[in-house]
Amino acid sequence: MRGRLVDLLSNVNLRLVASGHVHQRRDFTRGNARHIWAPSTGFILRSNEVQELIGIKEVGLVEYRFQPDSFEVRHVRAPAQVDIDLFATLEATAALTG
C-alpha cells in the first residue's frame, strides 16, 4: 500500500507530509518533502518495549504557517507542560483503587 502511495505522489511537487499518529515528535526531510510528525497533546508511551523509539517522546503540538511558496513549522510546548506516561498513570490508578 505504501509503495502504491509513493508511486501516486512521485509526479507531484510534494513539499510537506504532516502526520500525528505515533505519539512521537519527528521532523525530517526525504527527497524534497519535509515530514512532520506531531506529538500527542495528551500523553506519551515512555516504555520502548511498549512503543519503539522512532522520534522524541514528548507532548506538544505543531504550528504551521503557510505562504504561497513556502511554509514554516514550529514544535510547541505549553509553559510547564508535563509529559504524562499513559501506562504509569494507569498503574498508579489501579494501585489506588485496588
Side-chain angles (χ1 to χ4, degrees):
M1 177 102 157
R2 182 173 181 216
R4 187 170 164 213
L5 179 61
V6 169
D7 289 342
L8 287 171
L9 296 174
S10 65
N11 295 322
V12 176
N13 183 18
L14 183 66
R15 294 183 286 162
L16 175 65
V17 176
S19 174
H21 179 72
V22 296
H23 290 259
Q24 295 185 43
R25 176 172 68 87
R26 193 166 179 203
D27 187 338
F28 65 97
T29 301
R30 177 174 289 154
N32 293 327
R34 188 168 174 189
H35 294 247
I36 306 296
W37 296 6
S40 169
T41 58
F43 61 85
I44 63 169
L45 304 171
R46 191 172 311 279
S47 170
N48 292 338
E49 293 174 11
V50 172
Q51 182 193 50
E52 178 185 4
L53 179 64
I54 53 178
I56 298 171
K57 294 185 176 188
E58 67 178 15
V59 294
L61 61 91
V62 178
E63 177 184 83
Y64 297 94
R65 293 186 183 201
F66 295 96
Q67 301 296 324
D69 293 324
S70 66
F71 61 90
E72 295 176 27
V73 177
R74 271 188 356 131
H75 297 276
V76 182
R77 287 176 58 94
Q81 188 168 15
V82 177
D83 295 327
I84 298 171
D85 177 52
L86 175 65
F87 291 104
T89 302
L90 294 174
E91 289 172 5
T93 301
L96 291 173
T97 60

